[in-house]
Amino acid sequence: MAHLIVIGAGPAGLSAAASAAEQGLPVTVLDEFTEPGGRMPGQYHEEGSKGWWVGKHVSDELVTRCVELGVDIRCGVSVHGMEYTQTWEISTSCGLFTADYVLLATGAAEIPVPLDGWTLPGVMSIGAAQVMTNVHYVKPGERGIIVGMNVLSMAIARELSVAGVKVAAITLPCANPLAGTAADPTASAKLLLQLSGLAPAAWMRAGGKLAAAMRMEGLIARCYPHRGFRLWDIPIRLRTAVLSVNGQDRVESVTLVHVKPDGSPIPGSERVEPADFVALSGGLYPLAELAAVAGCKFVYSPELGGHVPRHGERMETSLKGLYVAGNITGIESGLVAMAQGRLAAASMIHAAGLSGADGEQRIQEAIREVHFTRKNALIQFHPGITEARTQLYQQWGQTTGSGA
């Protein structure tokens, strides 16, 4: 009997494990964290008419389903090597595992945002603030500043606000060689317009979509007031950047500066604002090191968040028996990752000869589910995701026939 090893116990990995086990494929899930669920337990946001997405509940349901189906979930296990001979050999911190099929569902990692004073206690990634608040029920502080405007910072700012954490402002990082477009008000305005679906008022959602369609981000950056606008009672300061984080043994304040539309600071506009925590939000990138170790070929796509292993629409890579799903394939929502996990499971079940006469039909249904989920997902991390994936899969179809 074929055996599947899933590396990563997040939404994609657990969904794939449950779907594969339902069809009779023995499954082992490996994850380096101490508990399954990945980033899901910390997620808490609205999904339009579907109501609130409570990641902890979804994670618990998936874990329970996996256990009921006999999936062997092993946490606290680090994978450091992968090699294919006649089967896949997975080298881990607790020994060697072998499998006919491997699914890489390793997720994503946060992009650091270096700032003057960022090593002070009380400075953390936006994801750390999310986990502290939503998983451990510990406030990251009483009054904080979020640095960086992207889907991650906007979504988690809402979560912190709902949990009673005071967010004094969301600002830009100060321009430096590592900040890139994150310090550019025009680029950030474009991102904000693309996130208009998260706005609490209908007129804001409609206005944001109209402004995005008319490509008004440049005008918005030039006319945006320095005091900012409030969203969920949080000031969104598109024309303000953090020069430094201040304090002796911990965060005590930040130095802010007004910036021009091109992101350059306005001399004489510096001021100090009190804060006891700072959350840095540089976005996410695919966590794909294991794919590189395995020997996968990569493609670069800014719309997907960076370098991703080259793969087809059925989630297969060019390496025999190796599949991918979730944020390792491109940064998207947990709902899309779950749909991709189910698609990868359908593909592996079919490859293993366990799907019966309707195996191809199940794969096509799973592909349509991924498309539908992506199209209707409220949270979109990057513009052009659908187009980027279409191009990726077209390239896959053109090269797989040549054995690439």
Side-chain angles (χ1 to χ4, degrees), residues 16 85 87 121 161 264 297 356 381 393:
T85 52
T87 59
S161 178
S264 58
K297 295 180 179 179
F381 281 83
Y393 299 148

Side-chain angles (χ1 to χ4, degrees), residues 9 14 39 55 89 177 179 182 197 228 238 247 269 335 342 366 368 389 399:
L14 291 176
R39 295 187 69 124
E89 296 182 351
L238 183 66
S269 65
L335 288 170
R342 292 188 287 269
R368 287 192 291 270
R389 288 203 179 277
T399 58

Side-chain angles (χ1 to χ4, degrees), residues 110-321:
E110 291 190 64
I111 299 171
V113 184
L115 291 174
D116 184 17
W118 75 322
T119 59
L120 279 171
V123 181
M124 64 196 74
S125 71
I126 191 72
Q130 180 189 49
V131 170
M132 288 178 66
T133 304
N134 295 344
V135 178
H136 301 298
Y137 307 113
V138 174
K139 285 186 177 183
E142 295 301 324
R143 191 176 195 274
I145 301 287
I146 295 177
V147 183
M149 292 187 187
N150 49 57
V151 66
L152 203 62
S153 62
M154 301 303 289
I156 296 178
R158 176 77 190 283
E159 296 175 15
L160 296 177
S161 178
V162 169
V165 177
K166 175 65 175 178
V167 178
I170 302 177
T171 74
L172 301 179
C174 201
N176 64 65
L178 296 178
T181 58
D184 182 352
T186 301
S188 295
K190 186 175 182 179
L191 280 174
L192 289 177
L193 291 177
Q194 291 158 0
L195 297 175
S196 59
L198 293 173
W203 69 268
M204 297 175 72
R205 295 191 292 269
K209 290 180 180 179
L210 178 61
M214 296 178 66
R215 298 182 178 180
M216 297 177 64
E217 58 270 11
L219 177 62
I220 291 173
R222 290 192 298 272
C223 299
Y224 202 93
H226 290 301
R227 68 179 182 276
F229 291 108
R230 287 184 175 270
L231 187 62
W232 312 303
D233 203 33
I234 300 171
I236 311 299
R237 294 179 178 167
L238 183 66
R239 294 282 301 278
T240 300
V242 172
L243 270 178
S244 65
V245 182
N246 314 314
Q248 292 296 321
D249 300 317
R250 59 180 177 81
V251 174
E252 297 174 3
S253 66
V254 297
T255 299
L256 303 175
V257 63
H258 294 322
V259 297
K260 300 176 183 178
D262 64 358
S264 58
I266 298 176
S269 65
E270 299 86 354
R271 64 186 179 84
V272 175
E273 184 156 330
D276 61 0
F277 78 94
V278 174
L280 307 178
S281 181
L284 300 171
Y285 69 92
L287 196 59
E289 288 85 349
L290 280 180
V293 169
C296 284
K297 295 180 179 179
F298 280 73
V299 296
Y300 177 75
S301 172
E303 296 84 0
L304 300 179
H307 288 90
V308 299
R310 191 164 61 80
H311 63 282
E313 191 166 21
R314 299 171 181 234
M315 301 290 107
E316 75 274 34
T317 71
S318 58
L319 302 179
K320 181 177 175 62

